[in-house]
Amino acid sequence: MHDLLLKGAVVTTRTVSPDAWIVIDDGRISQIGQGPAPDAREIQDYGDALILPGAIDPQVHSRSQKGQEDFIWSTRAAAAGGVTTIADMPYDDGFLVSTAENLRQKAREAREQARVDFALWGTIAPDDGPRHIPAVAEAGACGFKFSTFGTDPVRFPRIPPDLLASCFEAVAKTGLIAGVHNEDDEMVRARITAVINAGVTDWRAHGMSRPPLAETLAMAQIYETAAATGCSAHVVHCSVARGYALCEAYRQQGFDTTVEACIHYLILDEENDVARLGGRAKINPPIRPRAEVEGLWAHLAAGNVTVVSTDHVSWSLNRKSDPEMLKNASGAPGLEALYPLLLTELTRRGLSLSHAARLLAENPARLFRLSAQKGGLAPGRDADITIARRQNWIYDATQSRHSIAGWSAYDGRALDWRIAATWLRGKLVFDGQDVLSEPGTGRFVRPPSSGTSS
């Protein structure tokens, strides 16, 4: 007698199978099939709803604003959105995760709060150079984050080219990825100055200050550095089609290069949404014009997008409401809406829903070296499962009980899919209305080379 049987339309990286089922034993998937199902102590029949792999969001910022969100809320939004693992970035407000002890401390604190599983990125402090990278990897980092642009000299520093190459060499020895924020520092600073001198302060200022060329120049540096060092290089967000072409060109040459599309780059555009939302849609790199959005979708359909993320950060609204565009904080919340947004757009464009299984689960697990435990629907993996039901509804973060931000760039957007349930390691953590998992439910997941999960 099996522990649990889920019935519905099973979505894998290759197919969508109606009248299918998944068997779960001891928190892991044990069988997947179609047609007559085996017996189980508990049976959940979801009819024609989708049974999807729980999403792994590769880019979340739970602690960018001290006292605002933390893991207690980011993982609550994740559970409600069908996200079963978040990979949290290392640039916490007042706490740079650049040493093994800092990573261990963050893991301890997150373990007390998290309602879903979590992985942790590490980084460096520029004055330290790469010397802490081996120990941070051993402490359980899922990857290392760097930036070619300096947002803040302490909290989010620029890593200059020679130091970046040294870091890539050190990361290559760990077998992990080097993820890089891709904006050319010199060009962006020059353009910001030009925009200010021109007196442009409205929504147009942000895109003008960070042109597409600033991204692709940085991406060329990142991928060339990877080619020279043998490091696996991941661009953590790309808003322009040319960047995906660059990544694919390096892959064709045999280098391990990957690239990430944030959900806002696939959904929102500059001329309609940024013009309407102002500071709420200020994100680095910027949201681009609709023609660029369509270019990203062409690359997604062609298989040139590695993963899709939220780059989630729940800034308080006072940090996103300045009439002078450049004075607003950069970033937006998205965990609760990630799966519904992507499924809706895939359906409307006539693309296979298997893209969601690849981009939100299988590929992120591979990126972080977690495929033995996390990722797609396969026997032996954790039973992290999302149920999505076809339903026409309007997203409204102000009515959500699961997002601390109380605002969203997607407010008022009509969606075609809604999360009906989220299962974490075979336990129901969201029932379609309420998040059931308590703080402390989530586990720290880490690549096997750096130790065991805890």
Side-chain angles (χ1 to χ4, degrees):
M1 182 69 70
H2 297 287
D3 292 343
L4 175 64
L5 176 74
L6 305 181
K7 301 172 73 173
V10 173
V11 181
T12 68
T13 58
R14 294 179 179 272
T15 62
V16 180
S17 302
D19 190 27
W21 45 264
I22 294 179
V23 170
I24 297 165
D25 291 298
D26 297 323
R28 294 182 180 269
I29 297 170
S30 57
Q31 295 180 44
I32 301 175
Q34 198 170 12
D39 291 330
R41 295 181 184 86
E42 180 182 355
I43 298 174
Q44 294 289 337
D45 189 345
Y46 289 108
D48 59 359
L50 303 178
I51 300 179
L52 298 141
I56 300 170
D57 191 332
Q59 187 173 185
V60 174
H61 300 261
S62 297
R63 292 177 158 185
S64 283
Q65 183 177 348
K66 189 173 291 185
Q68 169 69 2
E69 183 172 46
D70 220 328
F71 288 90
I72 198 83
W73 280 100
S74 65
T75 57
R76 179 170 176 165
V83 177
T84 50
T85 303
I86 65 169
D88 207 75
M89 285 295 178
Y91 303 114
D92 300 349
D93 188 359
F95 189 82
L96 192 67
V97 185
S98 58
T99 66
E101 180 49 42
N102 280 10
L103 189 132
R104 292 190 191 100
Q105 179 179 332
K106 184 172 180 177
R108 288 193 299 269
E109 293 169 357
R111 194 181 292 113
E112 295 177 354
Q113 295 186 351
R115 303 170 193 267
V116 301
D117 290 351
F118 63 94
L120 297 177
W121 289 81
T123 188
I124 68 159
D127 289 345
D128 290 339
R131 65 189 180 94
H132 291 300
I133 284 175
V136 175
E138 183 61 28
C142 64
F144 287 85
K145 174 75 180 293
F146 309 103
S147 181
T148 56
F149 177 79
T151 300
D152 181 276
V154 177
R155 192 181 78 81
F156 199 160
R158 173 183 181 244
I159 307 301
D162 189 59
L163 179 54
L164 188 68
S166 297
C167 290
F168 271 39
E169 290 171 353
V171 174
K173 294 175 183 177
T174 72
L176 300 175
I177 60 164
V180 189
H181 178 112
N182 50 310
E183 292 182 296
D184 183 84
D185 191 271
E186 193 171 12
M187 174 171 277
V188 171
R189 294 194 185 284
R191 293 297 180 93
I192 289 174
T193 298
V195 168
I196 292 172
N197 289 342
V200 180
T201 61
D202 63 11
W203 61 270
R204 298 169 299 155
H206 190 50
M208 291 170 64
S209 70
R210 300 173 114 94
L213 182 57
E215 275 194 71
T216 52
L217 283 176
M219 292 179 74
Q221 176 197 332
I222 293 161
Y223 290 147
E224 276 299 299
T225 306
T229 60
C231 187
S232 299
H234 178 65
V235 167
V236 298
H237 36 42
C238 179
S239 69
V240 294
R242 173 68 181 156
Y244 295 89
L246 277 172
C247 183
E248 180 59 21
Y250 279 88
R251 274 203 299 269
Q252 292 296 326
Q253 296 170 53
F255 301 111
D256 185 14
T257 55
T258 52
V259 61
E260 180 175 317
C262 299
I263 191 65
H264 40 261
Y265 299 137
L266 296 168
I267 302 297
L268 306 175
D269 66 56
E270 185 181 41
E271 60 267 42
N272 295 297
D273 300 301
V274 181
R276 173 175 55 89
L277 294 166
R280 300 188 193 201
K282 180 174 180 281
I283 296 167
N284 297 335
I287 292 164
R288 303 295 182 184
R290 175 51 53 176
E292 202 71 73
V293 175
E294 295 306 316
L296 266 60
W297 275 101
H299 278 289
L300 187 150
N304 296 338
V305 176
T306 311
V307 295
V308 172
S309 73
T310 59
D311 198 1
H312 170 97
V313 55
S314 288
W315 295 112
S316 57
L317 198 50
N318 66 307
R319 298 283 297 272
K320 299 289 287 181
S321 302
D322 198 298
E324 292 192 36
M325 186 67 167
L326 297 184
K327 291 185 177 180
N328 290 286
S330 296
L335 277 165
E336 193 177 24
L338 173 62
Y339 240 137
L341 285 165
L342 185 59
L343 292 172
T344 295
E345 198 66 19
L346 287 169
T347 303
R348 293 178 183 179
R349 291 175 178 268
L351 296 172
S352 171
L353 297 178
S354 288
H355 284 292
R358 283 193 296 274
L359 297 169
L360 297 185
E362 188 74 34
N363 289 358
R366 185 180 301 117
L367 194 71
F368 296 129
R369 312 340 187 200
L370 299 173
S371 295
Q373 181 181 0
K374 301 290 185 182
L377 303 176
R381 286 177 171 168
D382 286 353
D384 298 343
I385 294 169
T386 298
I387 309 298
R389 194 177 300 283
R390 195 70 183 257
Q391 180 180 338
N392 301 121
W393 63 296
I394 305 296
Y395 182 68
D396 183 358
T398 65
Q399 300 300 313
S400 172
R401 294 173 291 116
H402 310 302
S403 170
I404 196 172
W407 66 273
S408 170
Y410 311 110
D411 282 339
R413 184 166 292 271
L415 300 171
D416 301 337
W417 293 92
R418 192 162 197 162
I419 304 305
T422 306
W423 296 80
L424 175 68
R425 290 178 269 108
K427 301 294 184 184
L428 187 65
V429 296
F430 177 66
D431 65 3
Q433 296 291 329
D434 298 314
V435 172
L436 307 178
S437 54
E438 296 294 330
T441 301
R443 293 179 181 174
F444 177 32
V445 294
R446 47 196 289 174
S449 61
S450 67
T452 57
S453 300
S454 59

